[in-house]
Amino acid sequence: MKINTRQKQWLITLCCITVFSTLCSFYLVKQPVLKNNDESPRIVNIVNFIRLLEPRDPKITQEVLFQTVVKQVAIMKKYKLGGTFLLQYDALLDKRYQKLLAGLPKGSFEIGAWWEIPQPLVEKAGLKWRGRYPWDWRANIGFSTGYTPTERKKLIDVYMADFKKIFGYYPKSVASWFIDAYSLNYMYKKYHIVASANCKDQYGTDGYTLWGGYWNQAYYPSKLNSYMPAQHEQNQIPVPIFRMLGSDPVRQYDTGLGSNRQGVITLEPVYKFGGGDSTWVNWFFKTFADDNALGFNYTQAGQENSFTWDAMAKGLELQMPLIARLRDEHKVRVETLEASGRWFKNKYRVTPSTSFSVSKDIDGSDLKTVWFNSRFYRVNMLWEKGGLRIRDIHLFNEKLPSVYETQAATSNECTFFTLPFVDGYIWSAKDQIAGLRLKAIVDGKEILLQGKDPEFIKTGPSAMRITWPLTSVEGTFEVNLSEKQIKMKLVTLKPINWFFDLNTADGIKLPFTGVNGKSLDCRFEGMNYAVKAVEGFFTKPDNGCILRISPQVNTITLNLAETSGK
């Protein structure tokens, strides 16, 4: 059958349409759209650190510890998840670990250093071992804080030389529960490390208190104090420190309230309520991946081998397939600590503003919260029983030195703080919960303002807005968080006398030295500092409260960047 020219043109056009449609369909099916783009990535590091021995329990033998790491490797490979393994010095020298880790794919696995100090490292550095066991977990023995700056350099040089002899390169990631700024800066300058990590905020746990710091995510530390975020590029160590363990953003802060030791509610797989509980794990990753986040969101999964496989297996078997699914759905990025450190340094010249928000808690709870960090301060707001409590505000100042930078710790416990303005944990008792609470005078009576669910909105690369519709009065409470300021106002049709009152437990030693209208003067850890009210006033009310912050023309604006005091 012959076809004419017109029919040929029609067939060619039909074929082109068919091919084009097929390609479009293939592209749409095979090229998934990212749920969280590069403007606000969700980053997961799987970090397992390795000790050679566990002197606290004779049943935990070296073989038990090794087999734990073998199984950690196996489950990560099963779900095609890469990650970071960090070696304590005695484990670094063990040929079993050398062979196991050297055989991991270089593109997706990283080998780095876990900076706890065991006996073999101390003695090879020519120093005297003071511990009770070949590894002693006390802060003045098992950590760099227990050694002089000169001794720290010797310890670092020995570790780095042996690591390079074994693996052919220097480690790029070095982490610990805490590494002092002197050691961190020395590792950066001489060995060019690119990432570090320290423990989550905690009070008294295992002899270590890290309190008031940059909550979660990562920060550039001050050259004088590795727990303190720096405010200026020239005063920072250019190695980002990531916060470990995946704290529960709602409950971790208040657990153990009124005691000397905080509890633990984290992503660690050994905890029955936390990383070992399916309800908690699914809730945590949903809020981590889906709730609004400023800058980026971060969590660290994994566990040290000291807990053994039997204790962590259930939790890891819950978490690993979930992390893999979220990765496949392009909701999270799973990468090594080194890769996260390089990304952070390429993206941020100074510590960024970030947030971690929770718009829906675990079933049965109506709690909601937001953590906001910048290089100048952190703030946490908690919505509970229909009301708002500002639970925590700490200020950052790169000029506050850590005592451990120039001298060795002599106590088996160490403490690290920033500058408190509101501390809902330390200033509380079991029956007296501290915080700033939003109140108003309505019909001649002082009431706690109540409302519905807050909404968390990103308003710029370093700023966010919280809008909270009220029920006790007609209106909306609005909070704008930016790098240097907190700005709050009440949007209503009729003027309302509103304010924040600060309550604490009885007998608490507070840092406040003067309430001076536009300035709240403070002193803590030998440093004078102040909170400035750009709009609003500080007063001491007669109702038994510690402090009242009242608006000026319906607005409270607190400057948390210029904190120098008298």
Side-chain angles (χ1 to χ4, degrees):
M1 178 182 71
K2 292 184 178 181
I3 57 175
N4 57 34
T5 302
R6 187 174 181 180
Q7 289 173 317
K8 285 181 180 179
Q9 290 175 340
W10 181 83
L11 286 171
I12 291 171
T13 301
L14 181 62
C15 288
C16 288
I17 290 172
T18 302
V19 170
F20 180 77
S21 299
T22 302
L23 288 172
C24 286
S25 299
F26 176 83
Y27 181 81
L28 289 171
V29 171
K30 298 297 182 180
Q31 307 296 324
V33 178
L34 290 178
K35 300 292 192 307
N36 291 309
N37 58 30
D38 288 340
E39 292 183 1
S40 183
R42 294 354 189 221
I43 298 172
V44 178
N45 290 159
I46 301 173
V47 179
N48 299 301
F49 55 91
I50 302 170
R51 299 186 180 112
L52 178 68
L53 48 85
E54 178 47 79
R56 292 170 289 190
D57 187 344
K59 290 181 288 188
I60 303 177
T61 65
Q62 292 187 25
E63 181 62 20
V64 168
L65 293 172
F66 176 70
Q67 290 303 323
T68 296
V69 180
V70 169
K71 289 170 182 174
Q72 288 174 329
V73 169
I75 197 169
M76 292 170 72
K77 284 185 172 180
K78 177 180 177 180
Y79 293 102
K80 299 181 174 58
L81 292 167
T84 298
F85 286 91
L86 303 176
L87 287 160
Q88 192 170 287
Y89 182 75
D90 47 8
L92 169 70
L93 301 183
D94 190 282
K95 293 190 180 301
R96 295 172 301 169
Y97 290 112
Q98 294 173 15
K99 182 178 179 181
L100 174 67
L101 299 182
L104 296 176
K106 297 294 189 294
S108 55
F109 285 91
E110 172 194 13
I111 309 169
W114 181 250
W115 201 239
E116 290 179 347
I117 314 299
Q119 184 174 356
L121 177 57
V122 169
E123 292 180 341
K124 188 165 184 180
L127 308 174
K128 182 180 179 181
W129 177 245
R130 297 175 279 113
R132 299 163 296 174
Y133 314 101
W135 168 64
D136 193 326
W137 52 91
R138 292 184 294 184
N140 60 328
I141 295 173
F143 295 87
S144 60
T145 47
Y147 301 83
T148 67
T150 300
E151 291 172 336
R152 294 171 201 174
K153 289 171 64 175
K154 292 178 180 179
L155 293 168
I156 293 166
D157 288 341
V158 168
Y159 185 101
M160 292 294 184
D162 283 346
F163 189 101
K164 188 174 184 182
K165 188 185 302 181
I166 292 164
F167 292 110
Y169 57 88
Y170 294 124
K172 297 302 181 186
S173 297
V174 182
S176 181
W177 297 136
F178 187 82
I179 304 176
D180 64 279
Y182 185 91
S183 297
L184 200 66
N185 205 29
Y186 183 71
M187 291 175 185
Y188 166 71
K189 286 185 172 181
K190 185 169 182 179
Y191 298 104
H192 311 297
I193 68 170
V194 300
S196 187
N198 66 14
C199 187
K200 64 172 176 57
D201 261 33
Q202 62 181 30
Y203 192 83
T205 310
D206 296 330
Y208 257 78
T209 290
L210 298 91
W211 196 252
Y214 194 99
W215 195 90
N216 206 54
Q217 282 91 335
Y219 65 96
Y220 289 120
S222 160
K223 291 178 180 178
L224 301 178
N225 185 340
S226 59
Y227 184 62
M228 181 75 73
Q231 287 72 62
H232 302 91
E233 187 174 5
Q234 66 269 25
N235 296 326
Q236 71 189 19
I237 301 172
V239 175
I241 297 178
F242 292 83
R243 305 306 303 272
M244 298 179 71
L245 305 181
S247 283
D248 184 320
V250 177
R251 278 159 289 273
Q252 171 63 41
Y253 187 89
D254 285 339
T255 185
L257 208 64
S259 68
N260 294 325
R261 294 286 183 273
Q262 200 181 36
V264 179
I265 307 175
T266 69
L267 189 59
E268 295 170 90
V270 295
Y271 290 109
K272 292 181 180 179
F273 183 71
D277 178 78
S278 60
T279 299
W280 189 94
V281 168
N282 281 284
W283 163 79
F284 177 84
F285 276 107
K286 180 172 178 54
T287 194
F288 172 78
D290 293 343
D291 271 323
N292 285 337
L294 182 67
F296 71 102
N297 219 347
Y298 173 82
T299 197
Q300 176 253 316
Q303 189 82 67
E304 68 261 44
N305 63 339
S306 297
F307 278 103
T308 76
W309 180 253
D310 287 345
M312 70 182 72
K314 177 185 174 183
L316 290 181
E317 286 163 358
L318 286 171
Q319 293 179 27
M320 295 299 111
L322 177 56
I323 293 171
R325 177 172 63 78
L326 292 171
R327 174 205 57 198
D328 295 343
E329 293 173 353
H330 300 270
K331 287 189 172 184
V332 304
R333 283 180 6 203
V334 182
E335 57 194 29
T336 63
L337 184 56
E338 176 190 355
S340 296
R342 292 190 185 280
W343 170 84
F344 188 96
K345 193 169 182 179
N346 287 335
K347 187 171 179 64
Y348 301 115
R349 292 185 62 183
V350 294
T351 297
S353 298
T354 63
S355 70
F356 193 131
S357 60
V358 177
S359 61
K360 188 180 187 308
D361 197 11
I362 292 174
D363 287 347
S365 168
D366 66 348
L367 297 176
K368 295 164 184 64
T369 196
V370 62
W371 287 90
F372 177 91
N373 308 281
S374 80
R375 56 194 164 120
F376 296 99
Y377 71 99
R378 81 175 192 185
V379 60
N380 175 242
M381 298 184 178
L382 181 73
W383 284 262
E384 53 187 352
K385 299 178 181 178
L388 167 63
R389 175 164 62 109
I390 297 181
R391 189 160 60 164
D392 186 282
I393 303 176
H394 276 77
L395 312 180
F396 304 146
N397 191 317
E398 62 196 11
K399 296 178 182 178
L400 178 66
S402 168
V403 66
Y404 307 118
E405 302 315 311
T406 57
Q407 55 189 284
T410 56
S411 169
N412 64 351
E413 297 195 7
C414 283
T415 57
F416 307 89
F417 294 103
T418 60
L419 302 175
F421 169 29
V422 179
D423 195 319
Y425 184 82
I426 296 177
W427 298 354
S428 291
K430 286 184 178 180
D431 56 349
Q432 293 176 296
I433 310 302
L436 281 170
R437 290 175 172 84
L438 181 60
K439 299 179 178 180
I441 305 296
V442 178
D443 297 329
K445 295 181 180 180
E446 182 180 295
I447 66 168
L448 287 168
L449 288 178
Q450 303 280 302
K452 300 178 183 178
D453 292 343
E455 185 178 4
F456 309 115
I457 306 162
K458 177 181 175 181
T459 56
S462 299
M464 67 179 298
R465 181 171 65 250
I466 303 161
T467 58
W468 183 37
L470 301 174
T471 56
S472 48
V473 298
E474 289 188 25
T476 300
F477 189 68
E478 186 175 289
V479 183
N480 285 281
L481 301 173
S482 60
E483 187 177 50
K484 298 181 179 182
Q485 293 187 339
I486 298 176
K487 185 172 185 176
M488 301 177 282
K489 64 181 179 179
L490 192 60
V491 182
T492 59
L493 295 176
K494 298 178 182 179
I496 293 176
N497 180 8
W498 64 276
F499 46 88
F500 276 98
D501 274 354
L502 174 65
N503 293 85
T504 71
D506 297 332
I508 299 295
K509 184 180 179 181
L510 299 172
F512 309 140
T513 59
V515 181
N516 302 309
K518 304 293 286 185
S519 176
L520 177 66
D521 298 329
C522 311
R523 182 174 176 81
F524 183 77
E525 295 282 289
M527 173 171 277
N528 293 323
Y529 60 103
V531 180
K532 311 290 180 62
V534 179
E535 297 171 286
F537 302 95
F538 299 105
T539 58
K540 179 73 172 69
D542 298 327
N543 63 353
C545 290
I546 301 297
L547 178 72
R548 175 168 289 179
I549 311 175
S550 302
Q552 182 179 5
V553 194
N554 199 42
T555 302
I556 295 173
T557 301
L558 303 177
N559 183 348
L560 303 179
E562 298 174 11
T563 59
S564 57
K566 294 180 181 179

